[in-house]
Amino acid sequence: MLGIAPTRTTNMDHVTTDPAVRSIPAKSATPSSSAVSSSHSLPSSINSSAWQAASEDSVRLWMSELRWYVESDCSNVLHNKAIPQQQQLQHQSILRHQNCLPASPRVSIEMLELNSRKLLADFNAILVSIQSSQLKRVHPLLSALTSCLRGFLQNLHRLLSMQQPVSLPILKSPAEVASFREIEQTLLTLCSNLDAANSELLDVYLYAMSLPAVDARFLVMNGHLPPVDAVLRLLAEAAEAFAAVLDAAELQLLERVVNAVRCKTSGANFTAALRDLLRLAMKSERLSCLVAKAEAVETVLQVCSDRTQRKFWPLALRVLSCVCCVEESIRRFDQSNGLATVSGILGELGNSELVRAEAAGVVAQLTSPYILGKGKDLLGCLTSHAESLVKSLTLLCKEADSHDVFLLASAAIANITFISPASFEYMLKYNTVRALVDACQLSKAASLFAKDQVATVLANMAAYAWCHQSLTRHNAIELLLHFLSESPMGSCRYASSSSSGVKSSACERLQQKAAIALGRLARDASAAQIVVELAGANRLAQLCRRPEERNNSDAVLVAALAALRQIHDSVGSEDLEERDVVQLIRPRLSEAFLACSRLDESYV
């Protein structure tokens, strides 16, 4: 094929670093054993001088030739049995763990997720080895990968067959069974093709490394070998087929969990099935999408519509709030008219505070700006239920005793304010501002996160002039000035290092939204005068002059500068006697920003 028949071995370092073989020029020779010469021929790397030297000692000659005769046979015997390094030992532990087949579908899915992460890490390790021109590592890694993929498929069949049966069918049609088997057969074929490409890559690599030419070594070290392209192509196809097999298997297991909810067996099994859905949906968006494809959204909504299952509503609503974070779930939720069901639960005063709080959590999840980008069709449904939602959420904010309940209700109201201006009419109708301002005087709204939601509502309402009177009447200006006095240093003084960053960001958002709300309210001269009388202008100037008061946030700086200029336009400069305030207003906004910003500019 290539002049010298290449041999295959699992220890490439031993082959490519043998100076005794490479240093001998090529010339034909005759072996000393007639039995050996009848079935084998000496390699061309043994020249006449070496033969004459070795002929003095037949044992030494036999030892030098023995490797060439047995290496190929040993390689065939040890095929797919790479040296058990640390990564191969991990694969063996995976296969041993797969033999302990669990009975719970949730545990089975968690095991599949763990194994898939390790196998995908092996895919990446092979790609990194090829890209970094470490081709001698590819053969053992690729052999271990194909072996583990086959073991994964074998244990997958056993795992699916040992699951506890349910009364409802698992697969909807024979076409799904055929499709799963087709994907599985595709992955097995790709594994065989990878073994063939791996063997060819090893042969070409060993031959190229045996050449003394520098060009051949350069080609190998830079990965310019024909089998490399084939390996890369097959790896990409195998990874795609593996992902498809994994999705199909986990979808079958999830359907078993959903069917357990749909069957409504015993209370303990029913609760366990709901908890399994909740735990799986919280792991990743991919699993949330698979949960939705298993018709979990429709099934859980049926539970929420059944009054005989009211004791399971808190857990069912929690499942909905976790699942409805992907487009597939939101689409199914909208098609099932889920918002009407959740709105009815939220507005029914006979339900406990826990049930209403979980319903508020579903609304907060669906109305968050991040989720609305995925479910644009839900906007019209939200607008039609805006009045009932605002009424129920406002009442929940008034009656809530705990911080968590108030946080969920206020977050839902804050998110609704981004949807349509019509919601502000209902907030004025049901005195939402008063409920939020009064709650901030109590411990249930003492956290920065709850205050952040209240500031969002006030800032969005302040954008409309017809809401200013209600905001001023309910002491919203005093509350906003109190928000401005929040300091990131004070809020994080006793916090741990892990939570200090989160609280600092929340404090920055709170100061920024409070400054924006005051700037919008300052369009009304009477509101601007109240801000000046309560020393609000001084506090805004302090935020501009002292970066540590705003945690070096330029967003807070811009909002404070804009609010000061709006106050100046409404009340004039006579009431702003403080020198610092005047100096921040007179120059252009860009000049004032550069003067107060901590950003270092370099003109090099």
Side-chain angles (χ1 to χ4, degrees):
M1 178 175 69
L2 296 171
I4 300 176
T7 57
R8 191 167 59 228
T9 182
T10 58
N11 191 350
M12 285 182 280
D13 294 336
H14 179 67
V15 175
T16 58
T17 59
D18 191 355
V21 177
R22 294 188 186 176
S23 61
I24 303 177
K27 189 174 180 180
S28 63
T30 305
S32 59
S33 175
S34 59
V36 174
S37 62
S38 61
S39 59
H40 300 280
S41 61
L42 279 177
S44 59
S45 61
I46 304 178
N47 59 8
S48 59
S49 60
W51 171 256
Q52 293 174 359
S55 62
E56 299 176 358
D57 190 349
S58 59
V59 176
R60 183 169 55 186
L61 176 62
W62 176 75
M63 292 293 293
S64 65
E65 297 174 355
L66 183 61
R67 172 187 168 190
W68 295 94
Y69 301 140
V70 302
E71 184 179 34
S72 178
D73 295 336
C74 291
S75 178
N76 292 332
V77 173
L78 297 176
H79 187 59
N80 286 336
K81 295 182 180 180
I83 298 177
Q85 299 174 356
Q86 182 178 3
Q87 197 163 17
Q88 281 83 21
L89 292 176
Q90 292 178 356
H91 284 301
Q92 294 175 8
S93 65
I94 294 176
L95 296 178
R96 286 195 298 267
H97 188 52
Q98 286 174 342
N99 293 329
C100 302
L101 298 174
S104 170
R106 176 187 59 80
V107 177
S108 302
I109 293 174
E110 291 176 348
M111 181 183 297
L112 291 178
E113 286 291 303
L114 176 62
N115 294 344
S116 66
R117 285 195 295 268
K118 294 180 179 180
L119 288 173
L120 292 177
D122 293 341
F123 276 102
N124 293 330
I126 296 174
L127 292 177
V128 170
S129 299
I130 294 177
Q131 294 172 358
S132 59
S133 302
Q134 298 178 357
L135 298 183
K136 64 180 180 180
R137 296 184 55 197
V138 175
H139 178 72
L141 290 176
L142 199 54
S143 298
L145 176 64
T146 55
S147 178
C148 285
L149 284 176
R150 292 188 179 96
F152 178 85
L153 292 176
Q154 292 176 0
N155 286 279
L156 183 61
H157 278 287
R158 296 172 57 191
L159 185 146
L160 294 176
S161 61
M162 293 185 65
Q163 294 297 318
Q164 296 178 356
V166 293
S167 59
L168 297 178
I170 300 302
L171 296 176
K172 299 178 182 179
S173 64
E176 292 184 357
V177 181
S179 177
F180 180 76
R181 292 176 179 174
E182 181 179 355
I183 298 173
E184 179 187 14
Q185 186 60 39
T186 301
L187 182 58
L188 290 174
T189 303
L190 288 172
C191 288
S192 300
N193 295 339
L194 276 173
D195 288 335
N198 188 23
S199 177
E200 183 180 359
L201 178 62
L202 176 62
D203 292 342
V204 176
Y205 174 78
L206 292 177
Y207 169 71
M209 292 300 293
S210 67
L211 297 178
V214 179
D215 294 338
R217 293 178 180 271
F218 177 79
L219 290 176
V220 172
M221 298 307 296
N222 287 273
H224 298 304
L225 293 177
V228 173
D229 297 333
V231 170
L232 290 175
R233 177 180 55 81
L234 291 173
L235 275 177
E237 295 178 359
E240 184 178 355
F242 172 72
V245 170
L246 183 65
D247 288 348
E250 290 181 346
L251 182 59
Q252 291 189 32
L253 295 171
L254 284 170
E255 287 176 344
R256 297 176 187 269
V257 181
V258 174
N259 287 335
V261 176
R262 190 180 294 118
C263 290
K264 300 178 183 179
T265 55
S266 63
N269 294 335
F270 187 76
T271 303
L274 287 175
R275 292 187 183 277
D276 288 346
L277 287 177
L278 176 62
R279 184 169 178 175
L280 293 172
M282 294 175 63
K283 288 185 175 295
S284 64
E285 288 191 0
R286 188 185 69 85
L287 280 178
S288 295
C289 187
L290 290 177
V291 169
K293 290 182 179 179
E295 299 182 355
V297 176
E298 296 88 342
T299 303
V300 175
L301 282 175
Q302 292 177 1
V303 174
C304 295
S305 301
D306 188 359
R307 292 187 173 274
T308 61
Q309 304 289 330
R310 296 182 66 156
K311 62 179 181 180
F312 301 109
W313 281 3
L315 185 55
L317 291 169
R318 179 70 64 88
V319 172
L320 285 177
S321 63
C322 291
V323 172
C324 292
C325 63
V326 294
E327 185 175 357
E328 179 70 19
S329 301
I330 298 174
R331 183 180 61 82
R332 292 175 178 268
F333 183 87
D334 184 36
Q335 291 177 351
S336 302
N337 199 16
L339 193 59
T341 302
V342 175
S343 178
I345 295 176
L346 186 61
E348 187 174 347
L349 299 180
N351 293 327
S352 64
E353 183 179 286
L354 177 60
V355 174
R356 295 160 63 195
E358 294 295 344
V362 177
V363 177
Q365 175 78 338
L366 291 170
T367 55
S368 63
Y370 172 72
I371 298 299
L372 281 178
K374 299 181 179 181
K376 296 181 180 179
D377 296 337
L378 199 62
L379 287 174
C381 186
L382 286 170
T383 303
S384 61
H385 291 85
E387 182 175 4
S388 61
L389 290 175
V390 169
K391 179 181 178 180
S392 303
L393 292 171
T394 301
L395 185 60
L396 184 60
C397 287
K398 293 180 181 179
E399 298 177 351
D401 295 328
S402 66
H403 165 265
D404 294 336
V405 176
F406 177 80
L407 181 60
L408 288 173
S410 59
I413 294 176
N415 293 338
I416 291 176
T417 59
F418 289 101
I419 298 174
S420 174
S423 60
F424 298 118
E425 299 179 2
Y426 307 130
M427 292 181 186
L428 296 178
K429 179 179 179 180
Y430 297 108
N431 293 324
T432 303
V433 176
R434 181 177 180 179
L436 296 177
V437 172
D438 292 344
C440 289
Q441 312 300 326
L442 305 175
S443 59
K444 62 182 178 182
S447 70
L448 291 173
F449 308 104
K451 293 177 181 178
D452 182 24
Q453 303 301 327
V454 176
T456 301
V457 176
L458 299 181
N460 289 340
M461 292 188 70
Y464 300 93
W466 45 275
C467 295
H468 288 183
Q469 183 179 0
S470 176
L471 291 171
T472 304
R473 185 174 66 253
H474 294 300
N475 300 324
I477 296 178
E478 290 81 352
L479 181 61
L480 292 171
L481 292 176
H482 173 70
F483 290 164
L484 281 182
S485 64
E486 293 284 350
S487 174
M489 296 183 297
S491 61
C492 303
R493 181 177 302 173
Y494 303 104
S496 61
S497 58
S498 59
S499 61
S500 60
V502 178
K503 291 187 176 181
S504 296
S505 300
C507 187
E508 292 175 21
R509 294 193 303 269
L510 180 61
Q511 290 178 340
Q512 180 188 8
K513 294 174 182 178
I516 292 174
L518 290 174
R520 291 173 176 176
L521 287 172
R523 299 171 186 171
D524 187 357
S526 60
Q529 188 63 39
I530 296 175
V531 174
V532 174
E533 293 175 356
L534 295 176
N538 295 338
R539 177 54 182 170
L540 291 170
Q542 188 180 32
L543 289 174
C544 297
R545 291 294 188 184
R546 299 180 182 178
E548 66 276 5
E549 290 291 330
R550 50 182 166 84
N551 199 27
N552 298 321
S553 173
D554 289 333
V556 177
L557 173 59
V558 172
L561 288 173
L564 283 174
R565 291 172 181 271
Q566 185 60 55
I567 294 173
H568 175 267
D569 293 341
S570 298
V571 301
S573 58
E574 295 180 358
D575 295 333
L576 302 177
E577 298 178 355
E578 291 290 337
R579 182 179 177 183
D580 289 344
V581 177
V582 176
Q583 288 181 349
L584 292 172
I585 295 174
R586 285 180 179 176
R588 292 185 301 176
L589 181 60
S590 58
E591 296 176 355
F593 173 79
L594 293 176
C596 300
S597 177
R598 288 291 300 271
L599 293 178
D600 296 329
E601 295 187 6
S602 176
Y603 298 96
V604 178

